[in-house]
Amino acid sequence: MAARRPLIVGNWKMNGLAASLAEATALADRARAQAPAAELGLCPPATLVAAMAAALKGTAVGVGGQDCHAKAAGAHTGDIAAEMLKDAGATYVITGHSERRADHGESSETVRAKAAAAHRAGLVAIVCVGETLAERDAGETLKIVTAQIRGSLPDGATAANTVVAYEPVWAIGTGRTPTTAQVAEVHAEIRRDLLARFDDGAGFRILYGGSVKPDNAAELMAVPDVDGALVGGASLKAADFWPIVQAKGLQ
Ligand code: PGA
């Protein structure tokens, strides 16, 4: 099995106007100058996917959506098909982010259908899992994460078309992060789950997400089975995002 190439993805969430594309091109300029080992992606709001993909064409930075519908087309006002993201120039799509699970009631079954849609469209699905603080305090973290992994990954998932992101809900946007031992414990469990179900389970990349910042990235990225990061707030500015890229890219 070839070594897993690190992957660092920025999730802009509901942030960014046309002027923000300058941050994406600034990131691509840094990548051109310093050629990091990590693969890079940015997931802007849907309104910017096509423009960002055009602006980043030919650079080392790929573009992704933040969600997709399970169907390829139809009467679903306000939704976006994976095929549309692909057509707009996307490479990735995030599915099952905890904000979608919480704000839009998405179950693991829904997330699984969306990940399958991503595969159908030729996109890499970045499938998010993670426990709430109440679940962690109840000692249920591994049970919850395993159930989400089993429920959210379609049978067609492979190391090439699927990335898992472990994002403890209580660490997202809070400035709090798990200890490295806690991250290692969950990533090892996810790896076991992947190995048990998929022939190429050793090749799937498992990202950590939740308050990854320039000052904690090196420590988090050095944890065994952490193959990169899914970064929210610190991905909005190239100057903040770049040290995180370097934290994995220099290892
Ligand atoms: P954060 O968000 O880095 O702002 O905590 C991470 C995420 O939700 O993907």
Side-chain angles (χ1 to χ4, degrees):
M1 174 67 62
R4 296 183 295 270
R5 186 175 182 208
L7 172 63
I8 311 285
V9 178
N11 171 14
W12 281 13
K13 309 192 179 185
M14 199 172 74
N15 298 291
L17 301 173
S20 319
L21 293 174
E23 294 295 335
T25 51
L27 181 70
D29 288 345
R30 290 185 191 233
R32 189 178 296 112
Q34 298 188 44
E39 180 183 328
L40 306 181
L42 282 178
C43 300
T47 47
L48 292 181
V49 167
M52 187 182 284
L56 296 179
K57 201 170 167 50
T59 75
V61 185
V63 176
Q66 299 175 8
D67 176 53
C68 66
H69 196 278
K71 299 227 172 78
H76 303 287
T77 302
D79 279 315
I80 296 173
E83 282 78 359
M84 294 168 180
L85 293 170
K86 177 79 175 173
D87 186 55
T91 304
Y92 315 95
V93 62
I94 298 169
T95 61
H97 189 282
S98 67
E99 286 152 16
R100 300 225 38 108
R101 290 181 190 258
D103 299 351
H104 301 269
E106 292 191 5
S107 64
S108 286
E109 194 182 354
T110 307
V111 175
R112 181 188 190 113
K114 290 182 175 203
H119 299 156
R120 181 188 67 219
L123 296 175
V124 173
I126 301 173
V127 181
C128 302
V129 298
E131 82 287 359
T132 63
L133 191 55
E135 289 162 345
R136 176 162 284 278
D137 288 345
E140 293 180 341
T141 298
L142 298 185
K143 193 179 96 187
I144 292 288
V145 169
T146 292
Q148 289 177 337
I149 289 282
R150 291 202 182 132
S152 306
L153 294 184
D155 288 336
T158 67
N161 69 18
T162 304
V163 172
V164 173
Y166 168 55
E167 299 203 306
V169 176
W170 51 276
I172 295 175
T174 60
R176 294 181 60 190
T177 51
T179 64
T180 52
Q182 289 172 326
V183 173
E185 181 186 35
V186 178
H187 279 239
E189 177 65 31
I190 293 171
R191 180 68 65 202
R192 273 194 295 279
D193 295 339
L194 293 171
L195 285 167
R197 180 163 164 206
F198 299 103
D199 290 343
D200 61 351
F204 282 60
R205 289 170 295 180
I206 308 173
L207 312 184
Y208 169 78
S211 294
V212 178
K213 306 288 179 203
D215 62 359
N216 63 17
E219 191 184 24
L220 288 164
M221 294 301 104
V223 174
D225 268 311
V226 171
D227 302 309
L230 182 55
V231 184
S235 71
L236 294 170
K237 299 273 175 225
D240 295 331
F241 197 35
W242 186 251
I244 297 172
V245 172
Q246 286 181 306
K248 196 64 183 172
L250 295 182
Q251 282 170 10

